[in-house]
Amino acid sequence: MSKVLEEVLAANADYVADFGDKGNLPMPPGRSFAILTCMDARLDPAKYAGLAEGDAHVIRNAGGRASDDAIRSLVISYKLLGTREWFVIHHTDCGMETFNNDIMGNLLASSLKTSSVDASGWHDSGVGAGTNDGKFIQWLTISNQEQSVLEDVQRIRNSPMVPADIPIYGYIYDCKTGKLVEVPAVTAAGRVA
Amino acid sequence: MSKVLEEVLAANADYVADFGDKGNLPMPPGRSFAILTCMDARLDPAKYAGLAEGDAHVIRNAGGRASDDAIRSLVISYKLLGTREWFVIHHTDCGMETFNNDIMGNLLASSLKTSSVDASGWHDSGVGAGTNDGKFIQWLTISNQEQSVLEDVQRIRNSPMVPADIPIYGYIYDCKTGKLVEVPAVTAAGRVA
């Protein structure tokens, strides 16, 4: 057993020992909101936004981007589990600012199991349960945080599956201070379309 | 300002006041691993797996599924930020067990901004920065948790972008107890292909 696996299971045993009555929490988020944010290791949405277990849905990917998969999750969150406000939270010093599709294509070209890579992204073979069969992967890199938050809020808003009246807040988490900073362009554009 | 937004910003102010020296954490995860898990409000991966800020990447979506977007995030996590072990963690009492593509199609049919819905999923219009232009969305529902974990570990393993030697652990989080329970089929199939 690896050191990491051993540590995770030991930490989990401590969590179980102190679990209390959390086993009775219902499935729908108690505070009826969802956060879409980055997978970055420095971000702990429960801590930076004050979430207890049972409070809110948390969706995370590289960049906190409004990918189709993130929108899939948000629509399920709304339609089946009753969230009524959403946050899109990117952050300073994001790894997604450090590369682009070409750089990733080159990185992968040296280590792929097969050779069918393309400068514009990886051509998925289409096997399995995914949502992107037969298409190119876009890495969804970021060149400007305010712009990426605005784009993602707009992309969510423009989805035909998203209700027109759900508020979508746009924030940037400052990794130096822990602070959530509002994105003025999102506020100016109106959180509710 | 909504009650939720007010509460989130107040909690964030408390977090900032007590932020300490976390502003100096580096971008790459200090413990070099990543967790893919569900957005469910009852799950707090930092708590159930013992993560401090800076330790590990956390990727979350509806179900904790190995969507193309989750694989995008894992590949970035490995290639650019050095994670070397991955966990796929689904959970008991998951919302993804409560519906299927048909049910979602019907739910959406009554509230869509446009009418081009299909029983097999939503036909995305292809606008914007997504990874799924012009394709049907699969909702990636779950009928059996052990099976969904196994399928997702295999889907990640079979991606041509994923290194053959990275360990991928498969677990189910028990919402009643907080315990991480290993999926025997994943272990039997070999974490390393």
Side-chain angles (χ1 to χ4, degrees):
Chain A
M1 191 180 291
S2 83
K3 179 164 169 284
V4 157
L5 182 53
E6 208 167 295
E7 288 169 350
V8 164
L9 296 180
N12 181 249
D14 290 345
Y15 184 64
V16 169
D18 199 29
F19 198 62
D21 58 1
K22 291 195 281 286
N24 299 318
L25 287 168
M27 186 191 294
R31 293 170 63 199
S32 302
F33 69 99
I35 292 176
L36 168 60
T37 195
C38 185
M39 69 178 180
D40 191 286
R42 293 164 294 181
L43 273 54
D44 186 335
K47 288 188 183 163
Y48 76 54
L51 311 179
E53 289 94 329
D55 278 356
H57 283 146
V58 180
I59 300 157
R60 302 180 67 173
N61 62 33
R65 302 309 308 266
S67 62
D68 281 359
D69 194 53
I71 293 176
R72 171 184 73 89
S73 301
L74 287 168
V75 170
I76 289 168
S77 174
Y78 175 87
K79 271 282 170 190
L80 293 164
L81 295 161
T83 62
R84 292 295 177 261
E85 295 172 81
W86 294 342
F87 293 76
V88 174
I89 304 177
H90 296 178
H91 66 97
T92 61
D93 193 36
C94 184
M96 300 302 285
E97 299 168 292
T98 65
F99 71 105
N100 58 33
N101 285 352
D102 285 352
I103 291 173
M104 191 52 140
N106 291 335
L107 267 174
L108 284 167
S110 65
S111 65
L112 284 167
K113 293 175 194 161
T114 64
S115 58
S116 45
V117 73
D118 182 279
S120 67
W122 173 250
H123 188 273
D124 188 31
S125 63
V127 177
T131 58
N132 190 30
D133 290 357
K135 303 294 290 180
F136 289 97
I137 285 182
Q138 293 296 325
W139 296 99
L140 306 180
T141 56
I142 291 175
S143 56
N144 176 298
Q145 290 146 11
E146 296 208 356
Q147 189 58 32
S148 65
V149 172
L150 179 62
E151 273 175 20
D152 284 1
V153 169
Q154 287 174 332
R155 184 163 201 270
I156 295 167
R157 175 64 68 211
N158 291 337
S159 165
M161 297 184 291
V162 169
D165 60 351
I166 191 165
I168 310 173
Y169 313 119
Y171 280 81
I172 294 169
Y173 174 89
D174 184 337
C175 281
K176 286 285 174 211
T177 64
K179 189 173 168 60
L180 291 174
V181 180
E182 192 167 11
V183 176
V186 173
T187 314
R191 295 161 181 161
V192 179
Chain B
M1 191 180 292
S2 83
K3 180 164 167 284
V4 157
L5 182 53
E6 208 167 297
E7 288 168 351
V8 165
L9 295 180
N12 181 249
D14 290 346
Y15 185 63
V16 169
D18 199 29
F19 198 62
D21 59 0
K22 290 195 280 287
N24 299 320
L25 287 169
M27 185 191 294
R31 291 170 64 200
S32 302
F33 69 100
I35 293 177
L36 168 60
T37 195
C38 185
M39 69 178 180
D40 191 285
R42 293 164 293 180
L43 274 55
D44 186 334
K47 287 187 182 163
Y48 77 54
L51 310 179
E53 290 95 327
D55 278 356
H57 283 146
V58 180
I59 300 156
R60 302 179 68 173
N61 62 33
R65 302 307 310 264
S67 62
D68 281 359
D69 193 52
I71 292 177
R72 172 184 73 87
S73 300
L74 286 168
V75 171
I76 289 168
S77 173
Y78 175 88
K79 271 284 171 188
L80 293 165
L81 294 161
T83 63
R84 291 296 176 261
E85 295 172 80
W86 295 340
F87 292 76
V88 174
I89 304 178
H90 296 179
H91 65 98
T92 61
D93 192 35
C94 185
M96 301 302 286
E97 299 168 291
T98 65
F99 72 105
N100 58 33
N101 286 352
D102 285 353
I103 290 173
M104 192 52 142
N106 291 336
L107 268 175
L108 283 169
S110 65
S111 64
L112 283 167
K113 293 174 194 163
T114 64
S115 58
S116 46
V117 73
D118 182 280
S120 67
W122 172 253
H123 189 272
D124 188 30
S125 63
V127 178
T131 59
N132 191 30
D133 291 356
K135 302 295 290 181
F136 289 97
I137 284 182
Q138 293 297 323
W139 295 100
L140 306 179
T141 56
I142 292 174
S143 57
N144 176 297
Q145 290 144 12
E146 297 208 354
Q147 189 58 33
S148 65
V149 173
L150 179 63
E151 275 174 20
D152 283 1
V153 168
Q154 288 173 332
R155 185 164 201 270
I156 295 167
R157 174 65 67 211
N158 292 336
S159 165
M161 296 184 291
V162 168
D165 60 350
I166 191 165
I168 309 174
Y169 312 120
Y171 280 82
I172 294 169
Y173 175 89
D174 184 337
C175 282
K176 285 286 174 211
T177 65
K179 189 173 166 63
L180 291 173
V181 180
E182 192 166 12
V183 176
V186 172
T187 315
R191 294 160 180 162
V192 179

